Amino acid sequence: MSKDIRIRRGLDIPLEGQADRVLAPVAASETYVVKPTDFHGLTPKLTVREGDEVKAGSILFYDKYNEKVKFTSPVSGEVVEIIRGAKRKVLGVKILADKEINYETFEVGNASSMNRDQIIDMMCQSGLWPLLKRRPYNVIANPEDQPRDIFISSFDSAPLAQDNDFLVHGQEEDFQAGLDILGKLTEGKVHLTLDGNTNSSSVFSNAKGVEIHKIQGPHPAGNVGVQIHHIAPINKGEVIWTIRPQDILILGRFFKTGKFDLSKIIAIAGSEIEKPRYSKVIPGAQISTILADNLKSEKARIISGNVLTGEKVSLDGNLGFYADMVTAIPEGDHQEFMGWLAPGFKDYSTSRAYMSWLSPKKSYKLDTNLHGEERAYVITGEYEKVFPFDIYPVQLVKAIMIGDVEDLENLGIYEVSEEDFALCEFVCTSKINVQEVVREGLDMVRKEFS
Amino acid sequence: MKLVRNLLDSIKPHFEEGGKLEKLFPVYDAFETFAFVPDHTTHSGAHIRDKIDMKRTMITVVMAMIPALIFGMWNVGYQHYLALGMESDLWTNLGFGALKVLPMVVVSYAVGLGVEFLFASIRKHQVNEGYLVSGMLIPLCMPVDVPLWMVGVATVFAVVIGKEVFGGTGMNILNPALTARAFLFFAYPTKMSGDQVWVNTSTQEGQTVVDGFSGATALGDLANTGSTQYSLSEMFFGTIPGSIGETSALAILIGAAVLLFTGIGSWRVMLSVFAGGAVMAAIFNAVAPYATSPEQIEFMSTGILEQLCLGGFLFGAVFMATDPVSAAQTNKGKFWYGFLIGFFAIMIRVFNPAYPEGMMLAILLMNVFAPLIDHYVVQANVKRRLKRVKA
C-alpha cells in the first residue's frame, strides 16, 4: 500500500547555478582526508599512525564507545598526517593516495544467503556502517538496535540539490541489491519515498521489496524526517534507520564485488561555479581538485553539502563523508548603507517587506550576508510557514534554550533533526542560528538517555 | 555614505574594549547598524539568509502607521478650527496639527530611545528595534491635549515597567504602548477622558469657541445620551474627535493593508478581533430591548459597523493587538486571542460606566491571558503525540 502525501508548508528558494545534467571528469585528488567530525558525536580511537600504509577499506579509527563501528580509508596510500585541533582532538586522517587504488578484500560470498548478523558484521568491518543513520538524533546507527523501519528519501529538495534520478540512472541492479540487504536489517518495512512533483526514475519506481510512497510539495518535502513524520511518526523509544540513495548503490556494489568503493557522483553547483555540473569523486577528496578551474572567485563561500545544511570548507578542505554536492556562493562580507531602509527591488525575501515582489526573478544570487544582527524572538508564525510538521517549532526551540528535557520530549524532539529547521533559520527575522540550537537539543536528550 | 563610514570608523575605537566610552558600545552599535547593514556573514547552518531583519520589520510597521499619523495631524487642526468656528484649508489644518503632534512624537522617541540606550549599555546587549514602533504608537493613542511631560513620564513607565523589567524586547507581557496609555489613564484620568481633552480649543486673541460646542467623542455621546451627531461615514473617514491616530478607519485600514500584504501583521489576529467585536455587537443588538434605561438601549443597538469604526477599536485591532510579542504566539491561539479582544472590547465599552472605551483594557487583559491560551494549544499538541503512542 502506498500513500500520496502533499505538504503545503515549505519553501523552494530559487537560486542561481543549478547543475546541468552533465557528467564531467575531474582529476583524482592527491590526498584524501577522513574527518571524524563528519560523524556527529563520535569520539574516534585511531588505529593508524603517520607513515602507515593503508588500502581502501583498511580501518583508520573506530568509535570509542561502540568499537564495532569502524571507519576505513576510501583509498589506498600512506597516512601522511593526523590532523589535530585544540586538546589534540583528531580532526582528520590525511592519506596520500596511490595512483591505482588497492582494495582490501572482503569475503562477501553470496549476500542473499547471509543473515542479519553476518551482514551487520560485514558492514561494520568494511566501514560501510556509517552510511546508516538513525532517528532520533540523526547520528550513526547503532548496530545493536532493532530499527522499527528503514526510510529512504529518493530525492533531495534542498536548493540546487543534486538530482538523484540522474545519479542512479542505469543502476537498477546495484540499487535493488542494496535494498535487499537493507530488507534484512529490519523486521519492519523499508519505505522508499518518491518525488511527487516529477516522474521518478524507474530505478526508484520499480524497486522491489519496499513500500513506495509519493510526497508532493516544496522543500523540505525531500527531507527524510518530514517523510517519516507523515508516513509513520517516531514515538518515544522507537528507532528508525535512514540511508540515502547513492549510499544504497555503494552498499549494493560492495556486496557484489567485495570492494570498499565509496565513489559517487556529486553535483557541483552555485552561482560562483563557472560550469555547474556533475562529477564522480570519492568522499574525502580535496575541494581544490573538485573545483579546479571551475570557480569564479577565490573568495567564494565553498560548502560541502547544500546551502542550507552544508559545512563551510576552504579550498584546501575536503569533501565530507555524507556530502552529495559542493556549492559555491558569493561571500557577503560587505556593508550596505541604509540597507534596511532601501526599497530592495532585487532582494530575495519571503516577506513582501522588500519591493522585490514587484519583479520576481526566476533565480537569485544570494550571498552569505546575515542581513542583520541577532535579536530576541519577536516575530511569530514565520517558522510555521516553512515547517511541515505537527510540531510547534518555536516552542521546541525555546524549550531547548531553557534546557527542559521533559518538555523537549513532549514537544516532539524525537521526530526532528537540525536539517528540518534549516528553512526556519533561513526565514528567521531574529537571525537565530536555529540548527545549532536544535543540534544542542538533540545532544541534550541523547546524553540524558545514554 | 563614505563620509558616514569614515566618521563611524574614526570614533569606533573610543567605544571598543579599552576605549573611553567602552560602556556605550551598544549605543555606538545601534547607530552603526542603523547606518549600515553589518558585514556579518553566516558561519554554519543555513549559509544564506532571508533579507528581512528586525529593523526592516519595524520600519515597515512604522510606515504602515504614517497614514494614520498624517490624517491624525490634519484632524487635530480640523477639529480645532471647527470648534472655533473658523474657516481653514488643508494646509492650515495640517500645520496646526503638526505643531501639536510632532512634539509628542519627538518626546516619545527621544525619551524612549534614551531609556533603551541606557538599559542596553547597562545590560550590555544590542539596542532592539522594537521601540521604533512603540515610539510611534504612544503619541498616536493619546488625546491631543496631553502635556508633553506626561508623554515623557508615560514613555519611561512603559519602557521600564512594561518591557525592561521583563528582560527587554521580546520578553514583555504587555504591549508597551498600551502600558503607557494605561498608566496615564489611571494616573491622570482627567487628562485622558471626558469631553475636554479630544479637541484642542486653545484660543488666541479674538478667537472664541463656538456656542454649543461639545468636545465629546462619538463614543462619549453614545454612552451618555445613546445617540451621536456623527454619521457612519464621518466615523469611517475620521473627521470626529478622538485620540490622534484612532479616528480614521480609512487611514488605519490602509495601514492594515500594508501590514497584511507584507506579511508582517498577523491576519489571524486582525480578522478574529473584528469577528469578536462583530459577534459581541450583534449580541448587544439582539438583547438591547431588555436593557433598563433608554440610553442603554440606544447604545446597545448601535450597529455593528459603527461599533467597529468607533473609538480605538480599529487602531487597536490593527496596530496594538497584532504586536507579536504580547499576542498569542501559536496560530490557533491567535484566533482565540483576537476573538476575545474584540469580544471584550465591545463588552467593556458598553458596560463600563466610567469610560466608554474598551479596546485598551481588552488588549491588556488578553495580553495577560495570551500565554495561557498558547499553553492550552501546545498541550493539545502534546496530548495528540502521547495518544499516538498508546494507539
Side-chain angles (χ1 to χ4, degrees), chain A residues 135 182 264 406 445:
Chain A
R135 299 292 170 102
L182 292 174
K264 62 177 168 186
E406 201 191 325
V445 180

Side-chain angles (χ1 to χ4, degrees), chain B residues 106-126:
Chain B
V106 170
V107 167
S108 157
Y109 273 118
V111 173
L113 288 175
V115 177
E116 289 263 347
F117 283 158
L118 182 70
F119 268 88
S121 300
I122 294 172
R123 293 235 183 102
K124 300 194 190 343
H125 63 65
Q126 285 125 334

Side-chain angles (χ1 to χ4, degrees), chain B residues 16-17 104 115 150 167 217-218 245 279 282 314-315 352 365 387:
Chain B
E16 282 174 330
E17 244 181 278
M104 291 168 77
V115 177
M150 271 168 42
T217 61
V279 166
L314 260 177
F315 190 79
N352 187 353
L365 180 72
K387 217 162 139 192

Side-chain angles (χ1 to χ4, degrees), chain B residues 36-175:
Chain B
F36 293 93
V37 174
D39 55 356
H40 301 171
T41 55
T42 54
H43 56 90
S44 67
H47 295 265
I48 51 174
R49 300 297 171 96
D50 198 295
K51 178 83 177 169
I52 191 91
D53 75 336
M54 206 58 82
K55 284 190 175 68
R56 183 66 172 199
T57 307
M58 294 302 171
I59 205 72
T60 307
V61 182
V62 172
M63 299 281 191
M65 282 189 278
I66 297 292
L69 172 72
I70 293 182
F71 182 86
M73 293 197 300
W74 175 84
N75 193 41
V76 165
Y78 174 76
Q79 295 296 336
H80 169 76
Y81 290 114
L82 198 66
L84 299 186
M86 291 167 66
E87 292 280 314
S88 62
D89 62 11
L90 174 78
W91 295 107
T92 345
N93 289 341
L94 206 55
F96 182 85
L99 281 180
K100 291 282 162 204
V101 176
L102 288 182
M104 291 168 77
V105 175
V106 170
V107 167
S108 157
Y109 273 118
V111 173
L113 288 175
V115 177
E116 289 263 347
F117 283 158
L118 182 70
F119 268 88
S121 300
I122 294 172
R123 293 235 183 102
K124 300 194 190 343
H125 63 65
Q126 285 125 334
V127 178
N128 266 294
E129 291 80 6
Y131 193 74
L132 290 179
V133 170
S134 308
M136 184 60 89
L137 281 172
I138 289 176
L140 286 187
C141 69
M142 304 245 167
V144 65
D145 266 356
V146 168
L148 289 180
W149 66 266
M150 271 168 42
V151 176
V153 171
T155 302
V156 172
F157 182 84
V159 176
V160 176
I161 304 296
K163 202 155 81 169
E164 292 299 340
V165 293
F166 293 107
T169 303
M171 319 292 173
N172 47 309
I173 294 170
L174 300 175
N175 183 319

Side-chain angles (χ1 to χ4, degrees), chain A residues 195-329:
Chain A
D195 187 352
N197 302 320
T198 60
N199 274 328
S200 296
S201 157
S202 60
V203 174
F204 297 129
S205 54
N206 292 341
K208 306 268 177 325
V210 294
E211 196 165 296
I212 291 182
H213 309 269
K214 272 191 174 175
I215 187 163
Q216 235 177 47
H219 183 59
N223 280 10
V224 71
V226 174
Q227 298 168 359
I228 299 171
H229 180 79
H230 287 274
I231 294 165
I234 306 171
N235 297 313
K236 187 182 178 182
E238 291 175 345
V239 175
I240 301 284
W241 286 353
T242 66
I243 184 166
R244 279 116 28 91
Q246 281 216 81
D247 298 340
I248 298 175
L249 293 180
I250 292 170
L251 196 63
R253 241 169 17 222
F254 174 80
F255 279 95
K256 217 162 66 180
T257 62
K259 273 193 205 168
F260 182 71
D261 176 12
L262 269 189
S263 61
K264 62 177 168 186
I265 300 172
I266 60 162
I268 300 167
S271 53
E272 284 298 287
I273 298 287
E274 293 280 357
K275 293 189 214 95
R277 55 196 178 185
Y278 290 84
S279 288
K280 192 164 192 175
V281 298
I282 299 174
Q286 259 188 324
I287 296 291
S288 54
T289 46
I290 296 175
L291 295 183
D293 303 325
N294 204 1
L295 200 59
K296 282 184 190 163
S297 152
E298 296 269 305
K299 274 197 224 146
R301 166 74 56 97
I302 304 165
I303 303 157
S304 160
N306 69 51
V307 286
L308 288 179
T309 59
E311 180 202 1
K312 174 183 173 179
V313 288
S314 63
L315 262 183
D316 355 305
N318 301 75
L319 187 69
F321 183 81
Y322 295 107
D324 276 326
M325 68 182 306
V326 173
T327 320
I329 55 172

Side-chain angles (χ1 to χ4, degrees), chain A residues 409-448:
Chain A
E409 233 181 74
N410 286 335
L411 290 169
I413 186 92
Y414 296 125
E415 300 176 50
V416 297
S417 88
E418 62 269 42
E419 64 176 9
D420 300 322
F421 282 84
L423 280 173
C424 299
E425 189 168 85
F426 174 77
V427 298
C428 187
T429 303
S430 295
K431 309 292 175 194
I432 288 167
N433 288 324
V434 189
Q435 291 191 78
E436 229 170 77
V437 178
V438 172
R439 184 71 256 176
E440 204 182 296
L442 291 168
D443 290 346
M444 207 181 333
V445 180
R446 188 174 169 216
K447 208 171 145 200
E448 187 83 10

